[in-house]
Amino acid sequence: MRLSVGKDLSEIQQTRLFANWLLDIGDGNANGSNDGDAVIHILEDLITQSSDPIGSLIKFVYPSFLDNLNDPKYFEERSILAPKNQVVQEINDRLLSLFLGEEKEYLSLDSICQTEFIHNQFDESLYSPDALNGLKISGLPNHKLILKIGVPIMLLRNIDQKNGLCNDTRLQVVSLGNRVIETMVLTGSNIGHRVFISRLSLTPSDNKIHTSSKGDNFP
């Protein structure tokens, strides 16, 4: 599919055409009706050649990074989406390395979800802490969470909807305690508000994960 954009079109119209192009690809309608096999011509603006694609992506989304570390609006307007948690972690690690200051490491305290014993019979000794710590579960942070002051973060749970602390709310780290993180809200109706995020007991929502509970972690 080729996208022809005239020079007289406004930026909004160009964005709308691009969005429709993406939707057609996602819905399987690219290049008209097809039986699942179609040729898609990628826009030249989207094609880049780099030996370090993640580094190039970070530079594109976060230009003049070091000059804008103290500007909350800079992070409010920018984000990177990735298809897999593994890619998300790699991007996070690369972006974290660009921030100044010391890292602070937080570890989860993983254990068997005791409610599972009511309906299932299994040997708890088979599920060691190392095995539980190694699980990569959608909607929950990894066992090891590393942060720095100034880093933008995103909530993975609705913890205070009244005050706008909902899933996908973006915040910026202000200070790092042992069990509490002080943050500033970057999105939603409470932009600029200071809020404290404490450790919570979290249980995976994935029905395929029947034997683990992530307790004492940040949402």
Side-chain angles (χ1 to χ4, degrees):
M1 173 180 288
R2 294 188 180 276
L3 187 64
S4 177
V5 180
K7 295 182 179 180
D8 58 334
L9 292 179
S10 67
E11 182 177 348
I12 294 178
Q13 289 173 307
Q14 294 181 38
T15 302
R16 184 179 294 113
L17 286 173
F18 178 69
N20 290 334
W21 177 71
L22 289 178
L23 289 173
D24 283 340
I25 294 176
D27 293 337
N29 297 324
N31 210 15
S33 299
N34 59 76
D35 57 359
D37 186 7
V39 176
I40 301 175
H41 298 279
I42 304 298
L43 304 178
E44 292 184 1
D45 292 343
L46 301 180
I47 300 175
T48 59
Q49 294 182 355
S50 173
S51 58
D52 182 16
I54 290 182
S56 298
L57 177 61
I58 290 176
K59 289 181 181 179
F60 174 77
V61 178
Y62 297 100
S64 304
F65 181 84
L66 294 178
D67 296 331
N68 293 278
L69 289 178
N70 298 318
D71 182 7
K73 194 170 183 62
Y74 177 79
F75 295 105
E76 173 193 345
E77 298 174 341
R78 294 170 168 83
S79 62
I80 298 176
L81 301 179
K84 296 182 178 180
N85 289 340
Q86 181 180 356
V87 180
V88 171
Q89 189 62 49
E90 187 173 353
I91 294 174
N92 286 346
D93 291 343
R94 291 286 296 275
L95 192 57
L96 183 68
S97 67
L98 300 178
F99 281 83
L100 306 177
E102 296 183 0
E103 298 179 347
K104 189 169 181 64
E105 181 182 87
Y106 296 95
L107 302 178
S108 66
L109 179 62
D110 296 333
S111 62
I112 299 295
C113 183
Q114 297 301 317
T115 57
E116 294 296 332
F117 289 105
I118 298 176
H119 304 290
N120 298 286
Q121 298 293 328
F122 55 81
D123 186 356
E124 184 178 1
S125 63
L126 296 176
Y127 301 90
S128 67
D130 289 340
L132 296 177
N133 294 345
L135 292 175
K136 310 294 185 183
I137 304 171
S138 178
L140 293 184
N142 293 337
H143 167 61
K144 180 186 295 185
L145 179 64
I146 300 177
L147 296 174
K148 290 182 180 179
I149 293 177
V151 169
I153 59 178
M154 179 181 291
L155 286 180
L156 300 177
R157 282 287 189 276
N158 296 327
I159 61 175
D160 190 352
Q161 292 177 298
K162 181 179 180 180
N163 291 311
L165 298 181
C166 306
N167 183 27
D168 291 340
T169 298
R170 278 186 281 170
L171 312 104
Q172 187 173 21
V173 174
V174 175
S175 65
L176 297 167
N178 291 329
R179 298 183 63 84
V180 176
I181 297 173
E182 183 182 1
T183 66
M184 180 174 61
V185 180
L186 296 180
T187 58
S189 58
N190 294 315
I191 294 177
H193 288 196
R194 297 287 184 94
V195 296
F196 292 91
I197 310 297
S198 63
R199 288 179 175 268
L200 298 173
S201 179
L202 304 175
T203 301
S205 57
D206 190 344
N207 294 329
K208 296 180 181 178
I209 307 297
H210 296 291
T211 59
S212 66
S213 172
K214 285 199 174 240
D216 203 20
N217 205 339
F218 289 100

